[in-house]
Amino acid sequence: MPNHRRSVQIILFCFALAALLLGNGCAMAPGRDDTVTANGPPNQSNPFLRAAKSAFYDYGTWPLLLGAALFGVSDYDTEVADYAMEHRPLFSTNDSAERTTDTLRRLSYVFTYGTALAVDEGWRNKGERVLTESTALFTTRLVTKQMNLQVDREYPNGSGNDSFGSHHAASPFAAAALTRRNITNIDMPRWSAISINASAYTAATVSAWGRIEMGLHYPSDQLASAAVGNFVAIFFHDAFLSQKTMVDLSLLPGGGYLALHVPF
C-alpha cells in the first residue's frame, strides 16, 4: 500500500474514532460527582472529556483533518506540492525558505508566551499558564515525531521519509491556538485581538507552506500536522487552564513539587 494512502487511513481512523468517542461521551457511567437527573443521562463534569470535545470540534481541528483527508485521496496533494517546488510563490530558494520558516516558528512562541504573560492574573497563575502551555507545545512536538516514525512517507523531493508530520506546521499552529485562547482572557480592543490572532495564524500558515516549497511535505501532511497541533493546544488549555483547581506549584524548604488537581 502506498505510504500516502496509509497516512490518509490514519487521518480518517483518528477522525472517526474521535467522533465516536466524543459523540458518545454523554453515555458514560456516572463518576464520583456526576448526578443522574430525572430527565436524562448524568451531567458530565470530567474536564478531560470536555477539553477533548472542545479541541476536536474547534474550527482549527476537524476542518483541517477533513482537508488533509481530501487532499490525500486526490491527485491535488502531489500536484500542489510539485507546483510549490517548481514555481516557489513565496520563497526564491530553499535557504530563504528554511531561514524564514525557522524564524516564524520561533515567532509563534513569542506570541504565545507574550499573551500568556499579558493575562491579568497573579504571578503564580502566570507560572501555571506558562508551564501548561509549554507542556502543550512539548507534547505537540512528541506527537509530531511519532507521526514521522509511524508513517514512512517519502518527501516530495525524495530526500528523506519523514514527510507525514511537520514540526513547522504543528508547533506554530499549536502556538497560535494558545495565543487565541490567551487573548480571550486579556482586556484589549477588539481590533488588537484580531490583529494579534491574524499575525499568529499568518506566521503559522507561511511556516507550513514554506516547507512545502522546500519539498519536505505535502499539503495533506501540513493540514494534518496543523490539526494535531491545534487539538493538543486546545486540549491542554481547556483541561488545565479553564479549571481553577488545575496545576499547583508549591515551593518547599528543600526544593519544590508539582501537583495536579483535577475536579471530577
Side-chain angles (χ1 to χ4, degrees), residues 81-92:
D82 289 343
Y83 175 87
M85 286 189 293
E86 180 180 356
H87 296 281
R88 298 182 177 278
L90 292 184
F91 304 102
S92 58

Side-chain angles (χ1 to χ4, degrees), residues 65-126:
L65 278 179
L66 181 60
L70 293 176
F71 263 101
V73 299
S74 70
D75 294 331
Y76 289 115
D77 212 24
T78 301
E79 292 176 3
V80 171
D82 289 343
Y83 175 87
M85 286 189 293
E86 180 180 356
H87 296 281
R88 298 182 177 278
L90 292 184
F91 304 102
S92 58
T93 66
N94 278 352
D95 287 341
S96 64
E98 183 173 15
R99 287 194 303 270
T100 302
T101 55
D102 284 343
T103 299
L104 291 175
R105 178 173 54 82
R106 297 187 186 100
L107 178 63
S108 67
Y109 301 148
V110 174
F111 284 120
T112 297
Y113 292 120
T115 53
L117 294 175
V119 175
D120 187 15
E121 57 189 358
W123 284 106
R124 179 191 179 93
N125 289 337
K126 289 181 189 291

Side-chain angles (χ1 to χ4, degrees), residues 85-185:
M85 286 189 293
E86 180 180 356
H87 296 281
R88 298 182 177 278
L90 292 184
F91 304 102
S92 58
T93 66
N94 278 352
D95 287 341
S96 64
E98 183 173 15
R99 287 194 303 270
T100 302
T101 55
D102 284 343
T103 299
L104 291 175
R105 178 173 54 82
R106 297 187 186 100
L107 178 63
S108 67
Y109 301 148
V110 174
F111 284 120
T112 297
Y113 292 120
T115 53
L117 294 175
V119 175
D120 187 15
E121 57 189 358
W123 284 106
R124 179 191 179 93
N125 289 337
K126 289 181 189 291
E128 294 173 352
R129 182 175 296 274
V130 169
L131 175 62
T132 301
E133 296 185 354
S134 297
T135 303
L137 293 172
F138 180 71
T139 303
T140 298
R141 183 154 193 168
L142 291 180
V143 173
T144 305
K145 184 61 178 177
Q146 283 302 309
M147 293 168 66
N148 295 151
L149 295 175
Q150 296 301 319
V151 181
D152 187 27
R153 189 181 192 187
E154 187 177 18
Y155 291 143
N157 63 13
S159 64
N161 58 357
D162 288 339
S163 181
F164 187 69
S166 170
H167 178 44
H168 285 78
S171 293
F173 273 92
L178 292 171
T179 299
R180 170 160 55 97
R181 279 294 198 261
N182 288 337
I183 285 178
T184 62
N185 294 290

Side-chain angles (χ1 to χ4, degrees), residues 7-19 22 52 55-73 147 164 219-232:
S7 66
V8 172
Q9 281 192 335
I10 291 176
I11 293 170
L12 292 176
F13 173 76
C14 293
F15 196 105
L17 181 62
L22 298 178
F56 179 75
Y57 290 118
D58 186 82
Y59 61 76
T61 301
W62 71 264
L64 298 188
L65 278 179
L66 181 60
L70 293 176
F71 263 101
V73 299
M147 293 168 66
F164 187 69
S220 61
D221 302 327
Q222 303 302 70
L223 288 169
S225 300
V228 166
N230 188 84
F231 178 88
V232 173

